[in-house]
Amino acid sequence: MLTDEQRADGWIEHDGGACPVAGDAWVRVAIRAGIATKIALPAKTWVQNIDQWRHMNQPFDIIAYKLENRHE
């Protein structure tokens, strides 16, 4: 569950299912274990080995994402 501040900062909740953005969109992600990435990577990165966008009730499931400028 995101806070109002996180939503205002651009974070979007993700409740499982297919990746909600284009594979080449640069995103930061937050995983169920409570960790958020500090750098942005292409969304397809999170599908390559284990599709972390699709929830499997694991600590590495993506629960939120934030679109980022590719040059940041």
Side-chain angles (χ1 to χ4, degrees), residues 1-24:
M1 187 68 94
L2 296 175
T3 66
D4 290 339
E5 292 81 18
Q6 289 168 316
R7 284 186 187 92
D9 191 36
W11 285 93
I12 302 165
E13 289 187 60
H14 179 68
D15 60 2
C19 177
V21 296
D24 61 350

Side-chain angles (χ1 to χ4, degrees), residues 16-62:
C19 177
V21 296
D24 61 350
W26 287 68
V27 296
R28 289 179 52 203
V29 299
I31 61 173
R32 190 180 307 282
I35 300 167
T37 58
K38 294 184 185 225
I39 61 169
L41 295 170
K44 64 186 171 192
T45 303
W46 307 104
V47 179
Q48 291 176 351
N49 295 323
I50 299 171
D51 188 350
Q52 291 176 252
W53 292 100
R54 296 189 183 276
H55 290 180
M56 294 183 273
N57 292 319
Q58 297 294 320
F60 50 78
D61 291 342
I62 295 172

